[in-house]
Amino acid sequence: MVKLIETSTPLTEDGSLILYTWTNDEGKKAFWHSSAHILAQALEALYPGVKLTIGPAIENGFYYDVDFGDISFTEKDLADVEKKMLEIARGKHPFSIRSASKQEALDFYKKQGNEYKVELIENLEDGTITFCDHDNFTDLCRGGHIPNTGIVKAIKLMSIAGAYWRGDENNKQLTRIYGITFPKQKELTEYLELLEQAKQRDHRKLGKELELFTFSSKVGQGLPLWLPKGAALRERLENFLKKAQKKAGYEMVITPHIGQKELYVTSGHFAKYGEDSFQSIKTPHEGEEFMLKPMNCPHHCEIYNSKPWSYKDLPKRFAEFGTVYRYEQSGELHGLTRVRGFTQDDAHIFCTPDQLDSEFKKVIDLVLYVFGSLGFENFTAQVSLRDLNKPEKYIGDVANWEKAEQAIINAAEAKGLNYVIETGEAAFYGPKLDFMVKDALGRSWQLGTIQVDYNLPERFDLTYKGSDNELHRPVMIHRAPFGSMERFIAILLEHTGGNFPLWLMPEQVAILSLSEKYEKYAEKVLNLLENHEIRALVDNRNETIGKKIREAEMNKFPYMLIVGEQEAKDGTISVRKHSEGDLGTMSVDAFGKMISEAVRQEIKEFNN
Ligand SMILES: [Zn+2]
Ligand SMILES: [Zn+2]
C-alpha cells in the first residue's frame, strides 16, 4: 500500500520510498495543490474578509472557489493577485502539516465566519483532520505538498468562472479562479504558446473556416451537419477504410437507425443505459416501442443469427458505418468530440475461441495501417485485463478469459506495440485493447478500440456447429479504428491544423488565373488535372494574383498553379506549394505525375 507523506515527515517505519517530482503526475499534483494554498493566501491578504472554500489541483494547474461577498472581483484583478503570489513564493516559506481536533478546526473557521469550511469540517471524522501552515497562512488540508513556496517560480492565473458551492445550483454562486504554476519561467512560456497553438487549431474554428461542418439550433444541439466539403472528406475516409477492410475479409452490412426496445432489453443496454438515453419512440396504432440505436452490435448479432453457421464459415466480419445516437447533457457537448449523433466505423467479428489470436493480429494490422496513412506516428496502446481478485465482476468462463487476454498480449507483442497493461480495466464482458495517439501538440487522444465480448453471444444465443457436430458459442470482437468519424475528423483537424495529407484534401489544387483573359487556359488545365484524378478548382475572379495566393494559402490548398500569358503560350503552369513557395514552371503532365507519386507515397495499399 502506498502512503503519501510530506517531504518533511520523519520516516519512522521500514519500507520503500518513492520520491515524486515535477516529472510525475503525483509530483505535479503536489506542486499545484501547494500553489492553490499560495493563491488562497494572496487572496486573503489582498481581500480581507474573502471566504475560501475548496481549491484542488486539476489536470493542468489548480483552482480555488471563493466567496468574495460584496467585493467585486474581475479578470482585471488577476494580475495583482499573481504579483502577490510571486512575492509569497519568493519568501520560500516551508509547508508544514499538523493535526487538529474537530473542535479546534471548527473554532478556527467559526471565528472567521467561514460557513463553507465549517460545513466541510462537520462532515469529517474527528482525528482525521489536518491543517497546513505556511508563512502566516493556514488552510484545511489533507496534505501532499512541495517542501516550500520558493519552488514555484512562474505563476499564471488563467481565468475566472462562476461555480456553485458543492456544484449545486440551489447553493450560492462562488468565484472560481483558475491558475497554473511551473518550476521554471521557460515552462510557463512554452505552455502558454501551446495553448495559443491549440486555440488556432481548435477543430470548431477550423471546421468553420474550411466549411466542413456546421450546427443548427433548429436541427438540435450536438447533431453535426456536414457541408459538401466535409461530406467529401468523410466519404474519402470511409472509402479508404472500406477498401482496406474488403482486402481484410470484411463484408459490409447496413442496419436501421432504430430498433425495437426488446432488442436492447436482450442486449442488456436498456437495463444499463435506458434511463439516461433518448426515450423510446412509439407507433401511433400498434403500441410498438422503438429506441434510437445507441450501438450497432445488437443489430449485427441478429444478422449473424439470420442463418446457421459451421466452424468452417468462421470468422465472419460484418462492417458498417453505422450512425448511433446517445444522449449527452447539453452542457457536455463539444464540437465534434462530444455529440449526440455520430457514425462509428464499426465492425463485429464472430470467430471461434482458437481464432482470437490471429483475428486480433489482423485488426491491429488494420489499425496501424489507418494511423500510418493519416500521419499519426506517435501512439501507445493500453491492454485492459480483468481484476483477478473480483471474479464476480465478469461474465464468461475463466478459461476463455485467459485465452482472450493471452491473445491480446500475444498480438500486442507480435506487432511490436508500445503498450501498457491495466489490470481491472477490462469491461465486464471482456478484455480490450485501446489506442491512444499523441497529436502534433503532444496532447493525448483515445482513438481506436478492439474489444472481446463473451456477453452478447450469450444474450443473443449465437452459435456455430463445431467439427464435433455440436453447437458452440462464437466469440465476438468489436472494433473501430477511427472510433467515430466525427471524433476522428476533429482530432485529425487539430493534429494537422487543417493541412490534411494530400490524398485526403477536399481540394488539392487551386488554379489561379493572372486575369480573366486566361480563363480558357485555366479551364483546360483543370480538365487535364481531372485526367490525373486530381481535385482542383479555378479561381478566375477579377482580383490581384497576390490576393488570390493569400486566400488559397489561408484555405490550405496544398498546391497553387498560376496561369498567365507565358504559361498559356507554352502550355505550362507555375507551381507554388502551400507554405513553401515557388516550385518553378512545369508541364501539366509533369505536375500530374508529381502529385500522383506524392499520393502514392502517403497511402500505400493495405496488404493483408
Ligand atoms: Zn495542502
Ligand atoms: Zn459493438
Side-chain angles (χ1 to χ4, degrees), residues 170-316:
N170 298 316
N171 286 340
K172 183 156 185 195
Q173 196 174 36
L174 307 168
T175 303
R176 176 169 297 178
I177 302 176
Y178 285 101
I180 192 160
T181 51
F182 291 90
K184 284 189 186 126
Q185 184 61 41
K186 189 168 156 268
E187 287 178 80
L188 172 61
T189 310
E190 283 169 3
Y191 175 76
L192 294 176
E193 272 167 18
L194 197 73
L195 272 191
E196 185 49 39
Q197 280 183 41
K199 222 201 256 165
Q200 292 305 321
R201 283 166 177 251
D202 188 317
H203 75 274
R204 295 168 297 177
K205 176 176 175 284
L206 287 171
K208 196 172 177 179
E209 286 169 5
L210 301 175
E211 296 180 10
L212 299 177
F213 58 86
T214 188
F215 289 90
S216 144
S217 56
K218 278 214 176 68
V219 172
Q221 295 187 78
L223 299 169
L225 302 174
W226 290 87
L227 303 172
K229 281 186 199 175
L233 176 81
R234 243 180 91 147
E235 200 184 349
R236 198 156 293 121
L237 269 177
E238 288 187 12
N239 288 341
F240 153 75
L241 189 57
K242 275 183 192 164
K243 200 170 149 196
Q245 282 182 168
K246 195 169 178 194
K247 274 195 156 177
Y250 288 79
E251 297 167 285
M252 295 299 295
V253 296
I254 297 172
T255 65
H257 290 228
I258 62 175
Q260 253 190 136
K261 181 180 153 190
E262 209 35 56
L263 179 70
Y264 305 106
V265 171
T266 303
S267 71
H269 291 119
F270 189 79
K272 212 162 161 67
Y273 306 109
E275 275 188 19
D276 298 313
S277 66
F278 284 114
Q279 295 305 291
S280 61
I281 307 161
K282 295 191 175 103
T283 54
H285 304 303
E286 300 82 347
E288 294 164 296
E289 233 181 306
F290 292 89
M291 307 290 290
L292 279 170
K293 174 165 79 173
M295 31 184 63
N296 305 300
C297 344
H299 289 75
H300 290 191
C301 286
E302 283 304 289
I303 288 183
Y304 181 90
N305 260 343
S306 65
K307 67 180 251 197
W309 303 101
S310 134
Y311 69 99
K312 290 182 205 146
D313 302 317
L314 301 185
K316 293 306 292 180

Side-chain angles (χ1 to χ4, degrees), residues 171 260 514 519 535 585:
N171 286 340
Q260 253 190 136
L514 268 177
E519 180 171 9
R535 300 182 290 277
T585 306

Side-chain angles (χ1 to χ4, degrees), residues 45-111:
L46 294 173
Y47 303 96
V50 68
K51 290 175 188 172
L52 303 167
T53 70
I54 55 159
I58 53 177
E59 198 188 345
N60 285 303
F62 56 90
Y63 67 77
Y64 219 113
D65 283 349
V66 294
D67 181 354
F68 277 104
D70 296 333
I71 305 163
S72 92
F73 185 87
T74 68
E75 301 227 333
K76 284 200 201 100
D77 301 311
L78 292 177
D80 288 339
V81 183
E82 266 171 30
K83 230 165 87 191
K84 187 75 192 168
M85 286 175 73
L86 275 172
E87 191 187 306
I88 297 166
R90 288 194 193 112
K92 297 190 178 140
H93 308 290
F95 289 101
S96 72
I97 195 139
R98 68 180 152 92
S99 300
S101 72
K102 192 163 182 167
Q103 197 52 55
E104 208 181 318
L106 286 171
D107 289 347
F108 181 80
Y109 283 110
K110 277 181 181 158
K111 218 169 85 193

Side-chain angles (χ1 to χ4, degrees), residues 299-454:
H299 289 75
H300 290 191
C301 286
E302 283 304 289
I303 288 183
Y304 181 90
N305 260 343
S306 65
K307 67 180 251 197
W309 303 101
S310 134
Y311 69 99
K312 290 182 205 146
D313 302 317
L314 301 185
K316 293 306 292 180
R317 308 179 187 95
F318 297 139
E320 175 177 22
F321 286 88
T323 303
V324 297
Y325 302 89
R326 294 183 194 167
Y327 169 69
E328 299 272 359
Q329 288 181 20
S330 55
E332 302 284 315
L333 298 170
H334 181 86
L336 291 182
T337 52
R338 281 295 275 279
V339 286
R340 286 173 167 175
F342 55 94
T343 303
Q344 294 179 308
D345 55 323
D346 213 356
H348 296 98
I349 300 168
F350 301 90
C351 65
T352 70
D354 292 333
Q355 289 167 333
L356 258 187
D357 209 88
S358 77
E359 282 309 302
F360 241 91
K361 285 182 186 143
K362 283 180 186 162
V363 178
I364 293 175
D365 280 339
L366 190 66
V367 171
L368 297 187
Y369 169 71
V370 168
F371 290 178
S373 305
L374 289 154
F376 287 108
E377 272 128 30
N378 197 349
F379 58 85
T380 52
Q382 179 179 315
V383 176
S384 299
L385 306 179
R386 95 213 110 120
D387 180 350
L388 290 171
N389 297 321
K390 292 179 183 152
E392 71 284 357
K393 266 177 70 179
Y394 308 99
I395 167 169
D397 89 46
V398 173
N400 277 339
W401 268 86
E402 270 161 19
K403 212 179 228 172
E405 291 183 342
Q406 205 48 55
I408 296 176
I409 295 168
N410 288 348
E413 276 295 329
K415 297 297 166 191
L417 295 184
N418 172 14
Y419 70 96
V420 289
I421 290 183
E422 293 289 346
T423 26
E425 288 295 305
F428 75 93
Y429 51 80
K432 60 179 179 168
L433 177 66
D434 292 315
F435 288 89
M436 257 76 70
V437 296
K438 271 219 164 108
D439 71 8
L441 300 185
R443 297 167 300 177
S444 273
W445 299 86
Q446 206 216 300
L447 277 185
T449 173
I450 319 175
Q451 306 193 356
V452 177
D453 190 342
Y454 293 111

Side-chain angles (χ1 to χ4, degrees), residues 479-533:
R479 50 106 276 190
F482 292 144
S484 86
M485 301 309 289
E486 285 72 9
R487 196 177 146 76
F488 189 78
I489 289 173
I491 295 166
L492 196 58
L493 267 170
E494 303 211 356
H495 179 53
T496 61
N499 296 302
F500 295 117
L502 190 57
W503 70 268
L504 193 59
M505 264 295 177
E507 280 146 346
Q508 297 161 314
V509 176
I511 305 165
L512 314 176
S513 62
L514 268 177
S515 89
E516 286 167 337
K517 270 197 290 185
Y518 310 108
E519 180 171 9
K520 268 225 168 78
Y521 182 59
E523 292 294 339
K524 192 179 155 197
V525 171
L526 179 70
N527 284 335
L528 288 170
L529 291 181
E530 277 168 359
N531 293 341
H532 284 277
E533 292 184 3

Side-chain angles (χ1 to χ4, degrees), residues 33 37 132 141-143 145:
H33 166 81
H37 284 310
C132 172
C141 168
R142 269 190 295 241
H145 301 98

